[in-house]
């Protein structure tokens, strides 16, 4: 007697689902069975949404954010301040900044960060395009909003260097204690950067 | 200036993904961006697997387990013991039992458990079909493998009652300490049932 198992299409679905980030074998099985058994699951709608998004969503050729045939929601918004450009690593970094409401200018997504260990060199990032865009934005401010990790530091230093000759002013996001963070749980590097960046109370 | 947001197809995909069990808004966003950005994601394969499974997988008209056009993997396996039938609540309960290797007979999935609070009455379960199947299995053993919760108890008691007149012998899964479970962390009801079900050491 062979032990009964799910039919092949169910196993295939579980295999596909468990490739998703954060979804393990147990969750994949649970989701698959929910899709097949729950009358509210509407597997067709999920499959349709995946295919629709995969075919309709592209990368904006100018800034690198998500775009559709209707254009890029950032580059096509002419009410944005054209004198300030925020440089981020990935397109996914734009949304947290937009949600903060702290920035109203343009974006440039590099498509990664410098990482010799992963063979990511300046040629792999959208740096040439950045320089070209900035050449058409005389006197602009460039905010380097890359991560505070080693690769982010390297990327920021590299960009600061190649932008040195231009007439842009280059700034970098502040590093320090996160909002709501207490000193007790802050790591030494965070505390040391919070000290370096301390400001006078006006 | 409107805050930039994901294009509509991305938002639609996130909305669909976060309907899946165990997937919250943050995970849904992460999965959606992975599907759209990661070259290994193959969104078409995932969408295809969902549609394939949703269209190919049905419920076996006899036992209620998952079946395809090729038939039900349990009912079509003639090497199984036709003299013993395991009654479970849901089709998803079959696999854990199969994986245990402790049972080699037939299954009957009720499609739920009695629950007056959720308006689940005996008419909503596949009980008539169970009685009909057992009528063709004279002298069979019926193992009630329903859950050990209140509704499971009620379902087991109801089934034991209606099968009383038949010539089937009705048994129920043992309740007691789970394998590897220590007394310290066992709840009172589990301990009390483990005492009730204690057996002589042969």
């Amino acid at each position: 007697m062979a032990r009964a198992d799910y039919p092949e299409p169910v196993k295939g679905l579980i295999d596909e689902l468990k490739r998703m980030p954060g979804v393990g074998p147990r969750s994949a099985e649970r989701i698959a069975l929910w899709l097949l058994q729950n009358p509210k699951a509407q597997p067709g709608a999920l499959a349709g949404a995946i295919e629709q998004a995969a075919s309709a969503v592209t990368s904006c050729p100018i800034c690198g954010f998500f775009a559709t045939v209707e254009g890029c929601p950032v580059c096509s918004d002419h009410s944005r301040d054209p004198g300030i450009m925020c440089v981020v690593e990935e397109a996914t970094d734009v949304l947290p900044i937009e949600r903060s409401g702290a920035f109203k200018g343009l974006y440039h997504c590099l498509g990664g960060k410098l990482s010799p260990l992963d063979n990511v060199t300046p040629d792999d990032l959208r740096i040439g395009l950045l320089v070209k865009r900035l050449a058409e934005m005389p006197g602009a401010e460039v905010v380097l909003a890359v991560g505070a990790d080693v690769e982010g530091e390297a990327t920021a230093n590299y960009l600061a260097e190649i932008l040195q000759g231009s007439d842009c002013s280059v700034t970098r996001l502040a590093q320090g204690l996160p909002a709501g963070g207490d000193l007790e749980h802050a790591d030494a590097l965070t505390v040391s950067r919070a000290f370096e960046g301390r400001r006078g109370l006006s």
Side-chain angles (χ1 to χ4, degrees), chain A residues 61-79:
Chain A
I62 301 169
C63 73
F65 187 57
F66 297 102
T68 61
V69 281
E70 287 138 43
C72 165
V74 176
C75 296
S76 65
D77 183 352
H78 297 294
S79 63

Side-chain angles (χ1 to χ4, degrees), chain A residues 4-142:
Chain A
D5 204 345
Y6 296 122
E8 279 309 320
V10 182
K11 285 198 264 181
L13 175 56
I14 294 173
D15 284 343
E16 279 298 326
L17 288 169
K18 77 182 174 209
R19 296 176 52 241
M20 304 194 302
V23 176
R26 306 280 306 185
S27 310
E29 187 175 334
R30 187 165 156 230
I31 294 171
L33 298 174
W34 174 82
L35 281 169
L36 296 174
Q37 292 213 305
N38 195 307
K40 288 188 197 146
Q42 299 178 293
L46 174 59
I50 295 169
E51 283 182 332
Q52 157 75 2
S55 66
V57 178
T58 56
S59 184
C60 171
I62 301 169
C63 73
F65 187 57
F66 297 102
T68 61
V69 281
E70 287 138 43
C72 165
V74 176
C75 296
S76 65
D77 183 352
H78 297 294
S79 63
R80 286 178 171 269
D81 183 349
I84 179 164
M85 163 104 76
C86 181
V87 178
V88 293
E89 292 170 11
E90 301 286 357
T92 47
D93 296 331
V94 170
L95 263 282
I97 298 174
E98 285 294 299
R99 284 173 190 152
S100 78
F103 180 75
K104 302 188 185 309
L106 303 174
Y107 286 94
H108 192 83
C109 308
L110 293 173
K113 51 190 173 182
L114 292 181
S115 173
L117 285 176
D118 300 318
N119 280 323
V120 181
T121 67
D123 292 340
D124 299 316
L125 304 180
R126 301 169 76 252
I127 293 179
L129 207 62
L130 171 66
V131 175
K132 205 179 282 179
R133 286 182 75 189
L134 289 173
E136 290 162 19
M137 292 168 66
E141 178 184 347
V142 183

Side-chain angles (χ1 to χ4, degrees), chain A residues 121-181:
Chain A
T121 67
D123 292 340
D124 299 316
L125 304 180
R126 301 169 76 252
I127 293 179
L129 207 62
L130 171 66
V131 175
K132 205 179 282 179
R133 286 182 75 189
L134 289 173
E136 290 162 19
M137 292 168 66
E141 178 184 347
V142 183
V143 186
L144 301 180
V146 291
D149 53 354
V150 178
E151 293 92 353
E153 296 286 337
T155 310
N157 291 339
Y158 179 85
L159 290 176
E161 205 167 298
I162 64 162
L163 294 176
Q164 212 164 25
S166 73
D167 63 348
C168 296
S169 63
V170 181
T171 59
R172 173 117 209 247
L173 288 194
Q175 293 181 29
L177 296 179

